[in-house]
Amino acid sequence: MDIHGQVTNCHLELGRTDPEIASLVRAEELLQQDTLRLIPSENYVSAAVLEATGTVLTNKYSEGYPGRRYYEGQQNIDPIEIIARERAQALFGVDHANVQPYSGSPANLAVYLAFARPGDTVLGMSLPMGGHLTHGWGVSATGTWFRGVRYGVRADTGRTDLDEVRELALRERPKMIFCGGTAVPRTVDFAGFGAIAREVGAILVADVSHIAGLIAGGVHPSPVEHVDVVSTTTHKTLRGPRGAMLMCAREHAKAIDKAVFPGLQGGPHNHTTAAIAVALREAAGEDFRVYARQVVANAKRLGEELAARDFDLVSGGTDNHLLLVDLTRRGVPGKIAAKALDRAGIVVNHNTVPFETRSPFDPSGIRIGTPALTSRGLTQEHMVCVARWIDRVVTAAATGAEDRVAAVRQEVRELMSGFPAPGLPV
Ligand code: DSN
């Protein structure tokens, strides 16, 4: 047993069958234990969620929906999917939940299939401003098959300007509007988007993949009463397995279900459905609300500490779990900084910043999030140290002082050894 009272998994059978993969899995466990994971879309699932994903449910085919399958032998699968749906409905206060989308991008594609036709106009946040590929960005199928029109953030505030969104919506008359994104550090004004969508008769989709856990935990407003469809992955702040859900009012349930299956997907991944159900049960508990509050408190404190060290935070800070940092004035590009941080055991991703002047593969910023470190038990007091490390490494990256990076690596290892990662063997 590990210190969370969980049975450790030594990968005995995997080691016998495929030592090469087993050793890589073990190495990843050690890496996840040993590093400070600050990618805002990552987390640590509980041992229970991890266990559910590794069950015999992976052996079963279940095309269709509970009670209406194309395969027999659904005695256990139907109740699992019904439980997952019901837990999602209760947690988010929605009429209907579809828990079958394989991940966020297929979930969003299903929404297009349900409500739009190729060539229709879709209004979404520009990718370099913080949106997602599937919100109509050019290189995505959604920007190829649909006509993507984009809104961004204001240069002076770093925040979405709803006047601009309304102006665009009135001019372009989109069939669908997406709100939410992947690098949005501020509260999404779902009510404001809802008013615009109603005015132009568009279907409004809230992609809450990043903030679903914050909504469930009561620290971000819910989009439910303002939007037509809520799309979310299940593995970010929500702390479930890799998967997704679409949630909507009763009137849209049939269109959404039909778009997911048979429109876009075949058999659901039942092991994932079970793990989603487990994660949703966990997310309904008081501990999860405490975690959600702590995620935000940690991000705010980390933002303050970084700002005090001359880091330029897009929008000046955060309301949620993530910080978007423009490194231009620190004289080091995002990718070089991210790679130096990685060598120091601090894992972030390079990211475009609004009004980006560099390429998306070598942009000006980094994106930092607090869900994973919060799941390990770090609190505001540790954010001082985290900010100091980031400052030291970014400064070292600008000057090529690799020995300072190595020194931080050792300090990170020491701190993280005191905070065992949920779900991982000791
Ligand atoms: N790739 C996800 C993220 O990191 O935000 C979004 O799909």
Side-chain angles (χ1 to χ4, degrees):
M1 301 280 263
D2 71 13
I3 62 151
H4 293 93
Q6 298 147 357
V7 177
T8 56
N9 175 0
C10 299
H11 312 302
L12 291 179
E13 197 52 47
L14 183 59
R16 271 193 286 271
T17 305
D18 193 334
E20 202 178 359
I21 291 297
S23 76
L24 287 167
V25 171
R26 182 68 193 136
E28 179 63 21
E29 284 171 355
L30 294 173
L31 193 68
Q32 291 194 15
Q33 171 61 43
D34 202 28
T35 50
L36 185 58
R37 299 172 60 231
L38 293 179
I39 292 177
S41 45
E42 292 185 352
N43 214 326
Y44 292 92
V45 295
S46 69
V49 169
L50 202 55
E51 203 176 311
T53 63
T55 57
V56 295
L57 300 171
T58 198
N59 296 339
K60 189 72 195 113
Y61 246 113
S62 315
E63 282 179 10
Y65 290 100
R68 291 178 294 120
R69 304 281 192 187
Y70 290 80
Y71 295 75
E72 297 314 317
Q74 308 296 336
Q75 294 86 334
N76 305 306
I77 304 300
D78 274 6
I80 287 171
E81 188 168 338
I82 289 168
I83 290 168
R85 283 197 317 209
E86 287 177 351
R87 286 182 185 169
Q89 286 158 198
L91 186 64
F92 290 97
V94 289
D95 292 343
H96 181 70
N98 185 311
V99 295
Q100 292 194 5
Y102 298 145
S103 201
S105 296
N108 285 347
L109 272 180
V111 182
Y112 283 84
L113 187 59
F115 298 108
R117 289 292 162 262
D120 281 349
T121 299
V122 178
L123 179 59
M125 190 180 216
S126 146
L127 183 67
M129 292 277 188
H132 189 257
L133 282 163
T134 56
H135 299 180
W137 191 244
V139 294
S140 151
T142 62
T144 307
W145 296 335
F146 301 88
R147 184 175 159 268
V149 178
R150 286 123 206 166
Y151 60 87
V153 295
R154 285 176 62 108
D156 55 345
T157 62
R159 299 175 188 236
T160 299
D161 179 351
L162 281 186
D163 291 336
E164 181 205 349
V165 176
R166 180 169 177 267
E167 223 172 88
L168 275 168
L170 286 168
R171 191 177 74 216
E172 304 288 346
R173 294 278 157 184
K175 192 73 178 272
M176 298 203 308
I177 300 176
F178 276 86
C179 57
T182 63
V184 179
R186 295 297 181 178
T187 300
V188 181
D189 182 355
F190 296 123
F193 274 100
I196 295 167
R198 279 193 301 279
E199 190 177 353
V200 300
I203 291 283
L204 179 60
V205 188
D207 185 339
V208 302
S209 295
H210 264 261
I211 54 172
L214 305 185
I215 294 167
V219 291
H220 190 291
S222 166
V224 168
E225 65 179 279
H226 307 292
V227 310
D228 296 285
V229 182
V230 178
S231 170
T232 186
T233 49
T234 45
H235 48 268
K236 298 186 173 88
T237 49
L238 192 55
R239 219 160 54 176
R242 304 301 288 237
M245 307 191 293
L246 288 171
M247 298 179 279
C248 59
R250 201 162 287 112
E251 60 176 307
H252 296 313
K254 208 167 162 191
I256 287 291
D257 282 356
K258 207 171 141 209
V260 173
F261 175 86
L264 205 63
Q265 297 187 174
H269 295 174
N270 298 311
H271 53 302
T272 300
T273 307
I276 289 174
V278 176
L280 291 169
R281 184 188 165 106
E282 291 175 350
E286 183 50 32
D287 285 357
F288 194 88
R289 296 180 81 80
V290 172
Y291 146 81
R293 281 197 293 273
Q294 192 63 55
V295 167
V296 176
N298 283 347
K300 280 184 188 295
R301 182 67 188 273
L302 183 56
E304 287 159 13
E305 294 294 331
L306 288 171
R309 289 167 176 79
D310 196 33
F311 281 95
D312 179 7
L313 308 182
V314 171
S315 83
T318 183
D319 298 326
N320 55 33
H321 64 302
L322 76 81
L323 295 153
L324 188 56
V325 188
D326 186 341
L327 293 173
T328 307
R329 76 172 180 230
R330 297 295 301 250
V332 56
K335 193 170 177 178
I336 289 178
K339 287 203 171 297
L341 286 163
D342 194 40
R343 291 196 297 281
I346 299 171
V347 189
V348 303
N349 65 278
H350 61 260
N351 216 95
T352 53
V353 295
F355 310 100
E356 181 60 73
T357 52
R358 302 173 61 89
S359 92
F361 200 61
D362 184 19
S364 305
I366 52 173
R367 195 179 60 151
I368 299 175
T370 53
L373 66 78
T374 304
S375 292
R376 291 185 71 163
L378 272 63
T379 58
Q380 288 99 312
E381 61 179 305
H382 303 108
M383 298 307 113
V384 182
C385 186
V386 174
R388 204 180 294 136
W389 284 335
I390 292 173
D391 189 24
R392 279 165 62 191
V393 175
V394 168
T395 304
T399 57
E402 196 59 29
D403 53 327
R404 293 192 199 155
V405 175
V408 172
R409 180 72 190 99
Q410 191 48 35
E411 290 174 36
V412 169
R413 195 171 274 129
E414 276 161 26
L415 179 74
M416 299 324 284
S417 68
F419 293 89
L424 298 193
V426 177

